[in-house]
Amino acid sequence: MTEREMMLRRISSIDFAIVELHLYLDTHPNSEDVKKKLSEYEEKSRELISEYEKKYGSIVSGQSSGNGWDWIANPWPWDNDEGAE
């Protein structure tokens, strides 16, 4: 697994936890511990995304600081060498 893929997995994991914490707060809105944890995860997500974008460009379309087509840079999923012999 490349460094880029590892970074994307880490971002995905943190963002998944953020969604789960939001869902928990829907049923437990007064949980201060969870609100604090959510804030920590949101900050971590911003840091990881910023680091990723410095190395590889925009993580989503429409949010590029330079070339508006940065988000389509290789590798594409079908360019993956996994399973190649």
Side-chain angles (χ1 to χ4, degrees):
M1 180 178 298
T2 67
E3 179 185 3
R4 183 178 185 175
E5 292 168 329
M6 289 188 307
M7 290 181 76
L8 285 172
R9 281 194 179 188
R10 182 74 175 137
I11 292 167
S12 178
S13 296
I14 295 291
D15 287 351
F16 177 82
I18 289 170
V19 170
E20 290 296 309
L21 290 171
H22 274 287
L23 291 172
Y24 183 85
L25 286 171
D26 284 346
T27 57
H28 302 82
N30 298 320
S31 179
E32 295 303 319
D33 291 338
V34 174
K35 288 179 185 178
K36 182 179 176 189
K37 183 59 73 176
L38 175 61
S39 181
E40 292 170 9
Y41 276 51
E42 288 172 334
E43 177 62 27
K44 184 65 175 174
S45 177
R46 283 190 293 274
E47 290 171 6
L48 290 170
I49 289 171
S50 176
E51 181 181 344
Y52 178 91
E53 289 180 339
K54 285 177 187 172
K55 288 184 176 185
Y56 303 108
S58 183
I59 200 165
V60 296
S61 66
Q63 294 184 355
S64 177
S65 59
N67 179 353
W69 293 97
D70 287 346
W71 64 276
I72 65 166
N74 286 333
W76 286 91
W78 49 85
D79 292 333
N80 190 345
D81 288 338
E82 285 183 20
E85 297 181 90

